[in-house]
Amino acid sequence: MNRNSIIQRNRTPFALRSSINDLFDDFFSLPSMFSQHDKYMQSISLDLTEDDNAYHVAADIAGVDEKDINIELDKNLLTVKAKREHKHKDKKHHVQECYYGEYQRTIALPDNIETDKVEAKYQNGVLNINIPKSAKTAAVKKIAVKK
């Protein structure tokens, strides 16, 4: 399809923009292995900071209900999973840029954490996780080299 046929068929700027968006969507669409029936895990954007007392995670998961958030800490691996339900899937979309489905992110934390004192709060689309540091630090072990 050439440019003139798009302009001839779509005489309004909005229709032209829609046609161009459709071309890009088709070109950059997910491979067939990520079909609607398969789970495609979108990564969660987050910030990890620290101060003298704790590590702080701030994860952007706007539009997710609190009940659809799952946080696991396995030793020093923190995993955040979330699911955002599509509330408008039966409507005609002119533009759809938001991701709906499952999100997941796993990050490794240092060993000096208090796993029993981790707290999480969800407010205004941001999940904040506070991970206190342990008073104990891992001892450095010197290993002698033998001949």
Side-chain angles (χ1 to χ4, degrees):
M1 183 181 309
N2 64 31
R3 181 176 174 257
N4 290 334
S5 64
I6 292 174
I7 292 172
Q8 293 292 326
R9 197 176 71 203
N10 302 309
R11 299 206 179 263
T12 68
F14 297 110
L16 177 61
R17 181 177 180 180
S18 178
S19 295
I20 292 170
N21 286 342
D22 289 344
L23 288 172
F24 276 97
D25 289 344
D26 290 343
F27 183 75
F28 292 109
S29 64
L30 291 172
S32 60
M33 67 179 168
F34 294 121
S35 67
Q36 194 171 13
H37 302 291
D38 294 328
K39 289 186 178 181
Y40 176 69
M41 296 294 234
Q42 180 74 19
S43 182
I44 297 173
S45 298
L46 58 82
D47 292 334
L48 173 62
T49 59
E50 89 176 273
D51 57 30
D52 292 338
N53 301 317
Y55 298 97
H56 307 279
V57 175
D60 286 335
I61 51 175
V64 174
D65 289 333
E66 184 178 327
K67 67 178 177 49
D68 294 326
I69 300 171
N70 183 5
I71 305 166
E72 296 176 357
L73 186 59
D74 183 12
K75 296 178 183 150
N76 69 328
L77 287 178
L78 176 71
T79 300
V80 177
K81 295 179 184 177
K83 184 176 181 181
R84 183 159 79 174
E85 294 292 331
H86 198 310
K87 295 180 170 94
H88 309 288
K89 53 184 151 181
D90 54 345
K91 294 183 180 178
K92 180 181 177 184
H93 285 82
H94 293 280
V95 176
Q96 182 176 350
E97 297 177 346
C98 297
Y99 177 79
Y100 297 95
E102 296 184 22
Y103 297 80
Q104 178 175 323
R105 183 72 182 270
T106 300
I107 57 171
L109 297 168
D111 291 329
N112 66 333
I113 58 174
E114 290 281 346
T115 57
D116 296 337
K117 297 180 181 177
V118 176
E119 295 179 348
K121 294 181 182 175
Y122 182 56
Q123 185 176 15
N124 298 328
V126 178
L127 176 66
N128 289 294
I129 306 171
N130 185 49
I131 307 158
K133 290 181 179 179
S134 172
K136 303 182 272 182
T137 56
V140 176
K141 182 178 177 182
K142 182 131 176 125
I143 300 171
V145 178
K146 297 179 183 179
K147 287 188 180 183

